[in-house]
């Protein structure tokens, strides 16, 4: 059935959509199952002293999902790595489907990134996969971390977060379970790992069994952090209503002294007309950023509301991700909104961003990142039909970004490690034809420039074997990205975003195989904010063939230009 954005039913962006759910034994024969608390790996929990009633066993539990994952990687891994569209600087899966970033942690030496991983795609059985990096740019695959093979997560190890603790790591995630009638149950589970963060071990029974009273089973994506000497867990939720149309999104809060026993504290209480009608809030992150203009520490809620309707140039993607800025009273959970909901990305593919624990306010004094680092999913739910699937992989992460808060608005910039991997060199534009010859036939490259747009916009064109694939316009009061000439346009062909008027613009363009990220708007004044950009456009841009030509034109003037090619 075809559905518009307005009448689309609620969707969990990790919803299980198996190709074949036919078990050897019929679902109905399993009945309801009562499990006594498990003696091994049991964490102290308010749930540990009582039996747990679960939905019928999933047919997946009869399969060796770990072996199926390994077999798929062995069978198709080489095809993935040989794909011209596979990135060199962005984290992408070894096979199958990647979506939400999970458990992002910096441990003082390495960056650990976990992610939603469906190696058997299009059979949507969701695992966690693990990757490690020393520079947020080159990622080493560390194997599958969590397999959905228990009664608490039989239909998917869904999103969650991670923290560094003495001796290792702790990860918190949502276990998704469905019965034969598609009724959902959710469990919030702790998994612990040693110093290498590899192969987390579930500590069962779950920390939380089902939603708090007054909320539906759409209750997921725990973000755990420390605040004022206490542990907090924020969860994306949906308020229950007498009818589905009365259900609305929410963010709920639990607190704990030991990260094992959690008490429901309440719901974040904020008023923002922009998101009032949304039916679900996913992937919440509650953090603090210091406003570089005022020096004031502000509370920031990053989340992904579902149900926003397009409004002019805004909210054009199937689902949105953004933030509000304000002041939170930690006692009564009242969040006074100073900056209403604002999208984090103006491009085509961006969802479920997560910040890296161990950066920003959670960083140690000697950490390389005084600023908070964020990574998003460079993809969208329900949009998996990419050209890359011919090589058995789909989706990737965004390039990591630092977040800067200035006068209540978040500005972003690529993490500084990009300068080490792709150090910039000065170049010029061919004054007759507008060519940037140093980028000829480059597959992974960056272009950084300062332009004068007082007499008109500057335009950048990227040509491939079939002609102009990508057009970028940078003007005094807007920026625009047009990918109509590429091989993938399911989410649209054009994105445009208003900018604070300025006759001089700074931009950063990062192209990595089939991904393009445009940072534009001009550097924020002030030492701490220098090099941060007002708008970011993220897009999957599948070019044709290996031929590339980059040209710059328009009525604007290029004042300074530098480049790098991998």
């Amino acid at each position: 059935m075809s559905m518009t954005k307005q009448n689309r039913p609620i969707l969990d962006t990790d919803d299980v959509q198996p190709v074949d759910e036919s078990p050897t034994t019929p679902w109905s024969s399993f009945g309801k199952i009562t499990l006594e608390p498990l003696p091994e790996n049991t964490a102290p929990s308010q749930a540990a002293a009582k039996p747990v009633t679960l939905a019928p066993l999933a047919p997946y539990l009869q399969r060796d999902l770990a072996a199926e994952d390994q077999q798929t990687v062995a069978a198709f891994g080489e095809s993935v790595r040989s794909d011209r569209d596979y990135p060199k600087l962005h984290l992408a899966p070894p096979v199958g489907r990647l979506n939400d970033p999970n458990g992002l942690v910096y441990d003082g030496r390495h960056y650990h990134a976990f992610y939603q991983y469906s190696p058997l795609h299009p059979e949507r059985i969701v695992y966690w996969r693990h990757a490690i990096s020393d520079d947020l740019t080159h990622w080493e695959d560390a194997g599958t971390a969590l397999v959905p093979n228990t009664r608490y997560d039989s239909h998917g190890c869904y999103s969650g977060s991670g923290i560094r603790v003495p001796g290792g790591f702790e990860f918190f995630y949502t276990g998704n379970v469905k019965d034969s009638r598609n009724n959902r149950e959710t469990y919030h589970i702790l998994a612990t790992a040693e110093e290498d963060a590899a192969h987390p071990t579930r500590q069962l029974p779950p920390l939380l069994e089902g939603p708090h009273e007054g909320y539906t089973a759409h209750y997921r994506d725990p973000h755990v952090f420390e605040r004022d000497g206490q542990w907090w867990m924020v969860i994306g939720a949906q308020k229950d209503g007498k009818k589905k149309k009365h259900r609305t999104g929410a963010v709920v809060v639990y607190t704990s002294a030991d990260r094992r026993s959690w008490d429901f504290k309440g719901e974040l209480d904020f008023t923002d007309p922009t998101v009032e009608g949304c039916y679900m809030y996913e992937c919440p992150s509650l953090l603090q950023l210091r406003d570089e203009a005022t020096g004031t520490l502000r509370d920031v809620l990053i989340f992904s509301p579902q149900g926003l309707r397009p409004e002019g140039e805004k909210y054009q993607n199937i689902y949105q991700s953004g933030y509000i800025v304000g002041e939170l009273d930690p006692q009564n959970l009242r969040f006074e909104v100073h900056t209403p909901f604002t999208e984090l990305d103006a491009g085509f593919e961006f969802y479920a961003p997560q910040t890296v624990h161990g950066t920003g306010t959670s960083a140690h004094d000697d950490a390389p990142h005084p600023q908070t680092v964020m990574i998003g999913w460079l993809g969208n739910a329900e949009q998996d039909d990419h050209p890359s699937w011919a090589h058995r992989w789909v989706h990737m992460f965004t390039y990591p970004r630092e977040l800067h808060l200035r006068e209540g608005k978040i500005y972003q910039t690529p993490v500084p490690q990009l300068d080490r991997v792709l150090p910039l060199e000065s170049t010029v534009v061919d004054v007759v034809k507008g060519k940037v010859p140093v980028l000829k036939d480059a597959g992974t490259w960056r272009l950084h420039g300062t332009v004068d747009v007082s007499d008109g916009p500057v335009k950048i064109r990227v040509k491939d074997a079939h002609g102009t694939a990508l057009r970028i316009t940078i003007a005094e009061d807007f920026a625009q990205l047009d990918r109509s000439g590429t091989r993938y346009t399911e989410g649209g062909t054009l994105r445009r975003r208003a900018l604070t008027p300025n006759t001089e613009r700074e931009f950063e363009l990062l192209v990595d195989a089939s991904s393009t990220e445009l940072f534009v708007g001009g550097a924020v004044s002030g030492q701490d904010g220098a090099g941060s950009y007002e708008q970011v456009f993220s897009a999957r841009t599948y070019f044709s063939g290996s031929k590339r030509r980059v040209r710059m034109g328009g009525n604007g003037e290029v004042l300074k230009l530098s480049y790098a090619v991998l």
Side-chain angles (χ1 to χ4, degrees):
M1 180 174 62
S2 176
M3 296 189 178
T4 66
K5 198 169 184 180
Q6 286 73 27
N7 65 7
R8 182 181 291 111
I10 183 167
L11 172 82
D12 185 333
T13 56
D14 296 320
D15 261 335
V16 179
Q17 299 171 2
V19 172
D20 181 8
E21 274 200 339
S22 303
T24 305
T25 307
W27 273 90
S28 57
S29 68
F30 288 105
K32 296 291 283 188
I33 299 169
T34 301
L35 301 177
E36 296 300 327
L38 302 179
E40 296 182 354
N41 300 324
T42 300
S45 167
Q46 77 270 28
K50 61 181 182 181
V52 182
T53 301
L54 295 172
L57 272 170
Y60 306 135
L61 297 185
Q62 302 173 59
R63 295 162 53 178
D64 188 343
L65 294 178
E68 290 185 44
D69 168 33
Q70 294 170 359
Q71 292 163 5
T72 304
V73 172
F76 299 106
E78 182 58 36
S79 176
V80 172
R81 291 188 295 271
S82 68
D83 187 6
R84 180 187 292 133
D85 294 317
Y86 197 77
K88 292 181 170 61
L89 306 181
H90 292 66
L91 177 55
V95 297
R97 181 181 190 263
L98 167 152
N99 56 295
D100 301 8
N102 297 150
L104 306 181
V105 182
Y106 175 64
D107 66 9
R109 296 176 303 154
H110 307 294
Y111 298 90
H112 298 269
F114 296 78
Y115 56 90
Q116 302 284 272
Y117 169 60
S118 302
L120 310 180
H121 180 77
E123 188 176 11
R124 195 71 58 79
I125 304 177
V126 182
Y127 304 58
W128 270 33
R129 191 85 177 183
H130 181 201
I132 302 172
S133 176
D134 292 331
D135 60 5
L136 285 169
T137 304
H138 298 104
W139 294 92
E140 178 184 351
D141 179 51
T144 295
L146 293 171
V147 179
N149 57 6
T150 78
R151 294 181 177 93
Y152 300 102
D153 55 17
S154 59
H155 286 68
C157 301
Y158 280 12
S159 287
S161 59
I163 59 173
R164 184 83 164 96
V165 298
F169 299 80
E170 292 181 354
F171 301 99
F172 304 81
Y173 74 98
T174 301
N176 184 50
V177 176
K178 291 184 179 180
D179 65 18
S180 57
R181 294 181 176 84
N182 215 36
N183 296 313
R184 181 190 302 267
E185 295 175 0
T186 52
Y187 301 90
H188 288 84
I189 300 168
L190 166 68
T192 59
E194 297 182 356
E195 288 287 347
D196 59 1
H199 310 298
T201 301
R202 296 174 180 87
Q203 305 297 324
L204 297 174
L207 299 174
L208 303 176
E209 298 172 23
H212 190 76
E213 183 178 357
Y215 301 90
T216 73
H218 290 283
Y219 202 79
R220 53 182 174 266
D221 312 332
H223 173 226
V224 172
F225 58 97
E226 189 175 17
R227 178 168 179 147
D228 300 328
Q230 191 175 42
W231 290 98
W232 286 46
M233 178 192 292
V234 295
I235 294 174
Q238 181 189 63
K239 293 184 192 177
D240 207 352
K242 294 181 179 179
K243 297 181 179 180
K244 283 188 176 181
K245 65 180 180 180
H246 297 145
R247 295 176 180 174
T248 56
V251 176
V252 299
V253 177
Y254 288 79
T255 57
S256 174
D258 59 5
R259 304 184 305 280
R260 299 299 185 272
S261 180
W262 292 88
D263 298 315
F264 182 79
K265 186 176 179 68
E267 180 183 317
L268 284 187
D269 179 16
F270 65 90
T271 301
D272 184 350
T274 306
V275 296
E276 276 183 358
C278 294
Y279 54 78
M280 178 67 195
Y281 295 164
E282 286 199 316
C283 305
S285 293
L286 184 60
L287 61 148
Q288 292 184 306
L289 296 176
R290 190 169 300 280
D291 193 305
E292 295 167 4
T294 66
T296 306
L297 198 62
R298 293 298 185 196
D299 295 296
V300 178
L301 176 66
I302 295 174
F303 64 114
S304 299
Q306 294 183 340
L308 272 174
R309 298 185 179 187
E311 181 183 311
E313 64 186 15
K314 299 187 293 185
Y315 321 136
Q316 293 296 314
N317 294 349
I318 186 171
Y319 301 114
Q320 285 68 46
S321 295
Y323 64 92
I324 60 174
V325 178
E327 191 170 352
L328 174 67
D329 185 330
Q331 301 304 316
N332 60 21
L333 299 184
R334 174 63 185 164
F335 194 115
E336 181 183 349
V337 177
H338 299 164
T339 302
F341 182 79
T342 303
E343 289 179 279
L344 280 161
D345 196 285
F348 303 90
E349 284 86 28
F350 183 86
Y351 194 71
Q354 186 173 115
T355 56
V356 179
H357 181 82
T359 67
T361 56
S362 64
H364 296 292
D365 293 338
D366 58 350
H369 280 285
Q371 305 297 334
T372 297
V373 176
M374 180 188 75
I375 301 175
W377 172 28
L378 218 170
N380 283 321
E382 303 181 57
Q383 294 177 356
D384 296 332
D385 191 17
H386 286 238
S388 63
W389 184 242
H391 288 262
R392 294 298 293 257
W393 72 280
V394 63
H395 302 311
M396 64 176 76
F397 278 180
T398 63
Y399 191 77
R401 310 170 184 176
E402 286 190 343
L403 303 182
H404 297 261
L405 182 67
R406 193 168 184 85
E407 296 180 336
K409 179 179 173 61
I410 287 181
Y411 293 77
Q412 303 172 63
T413 187
V415 293
Q417 285 91 332
L418 181 62
D419 291 327
R420 301 172 205 162
V421 176
L422 285 175
L424 292 167
E425 300 178 35
S426 296
T427 189
V428 294
V429 178
D430 183 318
V431 294
V432 177
K433 297 182 178 181
K435 293 181 179 179
V436 185
V438 291
L439 296 179
K440 180 180 178 180
D441 297 336
T444 297
W445 50 275
R446 65 186 291 208
L447 188 66
H448 181 275
T450 304
V451 294
D452 183 336
V453 291
S454 56
D455 291 332
V458 165
K459 298 182 179 181
I460 304 171
R461 287 191 298 156
V462 181
K463 301 182 70 174
D464 63 14
H466 287 172
T468 300
L470 188 66
R471 294 178 173 88
I472 292 168
T473 303
I474 301 173
E476 188 173 335
D477 57 357
F478 75 92
Q480 180 174 289
L481 190 151
D482 179 349
R483 65 172 179 183
S484 57
T486 67
R487 291 184 289 130
Y488 177 78
T489 59
E490 182 179 352
T493 60
L494 183 71
R495 289 290 185 271
R496 176 183 172 117
R497 193 55 59 96
L499 300 172
T500 304
N502 199 324
T503 59
E504 190 172 298
R505 293 275 172 223
E506 185 178 346
F507 71 89
E508 173 85 50
L509 179 60
L510 176 62
V511 176
D512 185 14
S514 58
S515 73
T516 294
E517 287 157 292
L518 171 66
F519 297 77
V520 67
V524 177
S525 60
Q527 184 177 359
D528 291 336
S532 298
Y533 297 92
E534 183 179 348
Q535 292 290 350
V536 187
F537 295 76
S538 296
R540 296 304 304 277
T541 47
Y542 291 88
F543 298 101
S544 296
S546 59
K547 176 183 176 180
R548 297 290 183 278
R549 301 291 188 272
V550 179
R551 295 191 178 192
M552 299 185 69
N555 294 325
E557 180 185 358
V558 178
L559 303 177
K560 193 181 300 183
L561 195 66
S562 53
Y563 80 101
V565 175
L566 189 64

